[in-house]
Amino acid sequence: MRAARLWALTGSLGLVASVMAASSASASVKPLPTRTALQGSMAPAAARAHPDGAVSARSQVSFDLVLKLRDAAGAKAFATAVSTPGSASFHHYMSDAQWMNRFGPTQAAVSKAEAWLRGQGFSVGSVAKDRLFVSAQGSARAVEHAFGAQLGYYKVNGARIRLAKNTLTIPRSLAGAVTGAIGVNQDMATNDLAQQLHAPAKATVKASQEPGPPAGFRNSKPCASYWGQLTDTKDNPALYAPYTPPASYDICGYSPAQLRGAYSVGSGKATGKGVSIAIVDAYDSPTLLADTQHYFQVNDPSHPLTTAQFTNVEPSKVQNQTTCGGSGWYPEQALDVESSHSMAPDANIMFFGAKDCFDNNLMAALNSAVTSGASVVSDSWGDDLGDLLADAATRNAFDNVFLLADGSGVSVLYSSGDDGDNFADFGLTAANFPPSSPYVTAVGGTTLEVGADNNDAAQYGWSTAKQVLCEVKGTSCGKSTTPAGPLGYNSGGGGGVSYNYPEPAYQDSVVPSALADRNANVTGIANRVEPDISMDADAQSGFLIGLTQTFSNGTYYSQFKEGGTSLASPLLAGVIADADQAAGAPLGFLNPSLYKAYAATPSAFNDITAPANPDSAYVIRVDYANTQNGTDGHIMSLRAINYAGPETFCDPTGNCETRDVTLNSTPGYDSLTGLGSISSTFVKALSKF
């Protein structure tokens, strides 16, 4: 996902230190004697760099009051014990009710929080069945009065975001019950798709209605059915210099059978039977099931998604469609459901749609997924730079949900992001959140080359550079020998080192010290590094998906390829469902077992390294200029694979800074792909734990 971006040239370590210091200082402001501060409830100073007006006193604010775990230290210790191979408690999970009664907030805390909220004039909504938070809504004036804070709007990447100007406080009588509030500070997420081309179709939609289908998108030909099938014979090889011919075209979109074959999963004994996968996104496409069933009828008829296999947990209402790009989430939903079913065709799929794209509502949907009975939860959204810029109270609220998942045997997966180290977009290198949390599995990206026999022909780290070769009516550049534009970083799997989380024990003996210590001159310690593992993500080696879209000649089902770590996470979710079936029980929080398996059985992983000849690692891509047909011509581009060259950030004033990308593929655990990708023995190896 892409969160609202901070436009400032902030790549220096000094600025990172000042951001952290400012955040810490703001949390230490002394409240009135009768009140106590909600530590970490103020957004860092960098997020408040561009004020944009006052919040109307009458505007409505939805938020969740986060309740205190009765034994947070015990919950963390139990999550470690139950997920660590060799522990006496390994895989001896608690039920949701058992976990809640031992670690969760008390009913007395819920009652106290509800009474205070009502006394402040708020409308109190649902209470999560695990009692982790209480939903509430009221006017901005009521929020400012209740929390002793002033609200303001701030410009963040062109979006108008509401943030508190000072630390939230609560009456001392609530100190033992409440630890934070999520949603007072707005944090807007978008999905993690590599191509941000699927804009909502222009149509009037009522605030309470699901958005209509997105604007149509199609892939142009030529493109290949499998890697290396087609080469460009019409253009002058000098056009590609210094890359060496022959120039292959990219993929039209892999089929389910191709990905199952390349990863050696989803067939034979392990097909996910008896396992449930939960998908969490914003909104809920009304055609999601019908589109998915049509997709498999056309592309994989021997593995249909039956109605009995699919459960749709619809949001009670929807809101903020314009702000969140409503129907822009529909391609994400199709990608998540269709790819996870492809890898685990007999698994059940449960879809949870949040009412909008703000963190408090996505967390509520996530919480429902974790307590739904599913054993794997896939999330392709989060906050770019969130490890550094999200307030600590928000991170704590999500971590409480993750601790419940870990303690009850649920594997939670998050896509690591599509902006690499984030420098080219933000001028700052920092990890995304929630992938940076040590309680989830962060899934990075690769470029997967599937051969003619549905085999894994090669695999590299997903780091792509783009160079426009020409814009023409046809599909070749003719006699041209000079590209129309320069080569520059385009997209790639996310990764980074946390500024907030210490290095977890499971990474200690595997992650190189040079990576874990990257932020040590700020934090003073070794820190959590992500991603943990990677799957196919490059749009050039993307997956064919289908959904209902709006074209100039009508609204109907159509197909195109998609990529990003939004693909990688649900692909792995399907694989883990297969492993759960093979193991006969949920694998739960994966990371301790992943890193143990990597050390004990390295052949279960594909070590992703740089290509032997970087100048041959590229493809040619042809796109419709108008995204739908050839009426307005085509754009031909070169896409460099496993790119390790310069990336540039420019702020709105024209100040630019250039340096090499910092996420790279190397032997062993690396900053771009983590432990690497899965091999043909991965399911068998992991299911033994």
Side-chain angles (χ1 to χ4, degrees), residues 49-73:
H50 304 290
D52 192 43
V55 174
S56 168
R58 294 190 299 272
S59 64
Q60 292 296 297
V61 177
S62 297
F63 63 93
D64 294 330
L65 202 61
V66 182
L67 304 185
K68 185 178 182 179
L69 298 184
R70 73 183 77 185
D71 184 7

Side-chain angles (χ1 to χ4, degrees), residues 612-678:
N613 181 9
D615 290 343
S616 66
Y618 74 104
V619 291
I620 303 302
R621 174 167 171 161
V622 182
D623 287 298
Y624 292 125
N626 64 14
T627 76
Q628 295 188 11
N629 55 55
T631 302
D632 298 319
H634 301 80
I635 300 173
M636 284 192 63
S637 61
L638 179 150
R639 305 296 176 103
I641 295 169
N642 207 101
Y643 178 74
E647 59 178 341
T648 299
F649 172 77
C650 295
D651 69 15
T653 68
N655 292 321
C656 296
E657 183 176 329
T658 299
R659 51 121 231 232
D660 286 347
V661 299
T662 61
L663 305 186
N664 304 111
S665 298
T666 60
Y669 181 98
D670 63 55
S671 57
L672 182 57
T673 66
L675 298 170
S677 190
I678 70 169

Side-chain angles (χ1 to χ4, degrees), residues 198-205 212-216 327 550:
H198 314 292
K202 292 183 179 180
T204 301
V205 179
S327 60
T550 300

Side-chain angles (χ1 to χ4, degrees), residues 178-206:
V178 176
T179 61
I182 178 172
V184 174
N185 292 328
Q186 288 183 317
D187 204 345
M188 184 178 70
T190 65
N191 52 69
D192 239 345
L193 296 180
Q195 301 171 344
Q196 300 295 322
L197 299 176
H198 314 292
K202 292 183 179 180
T204 301
V205 179
K206 292 182 179 180

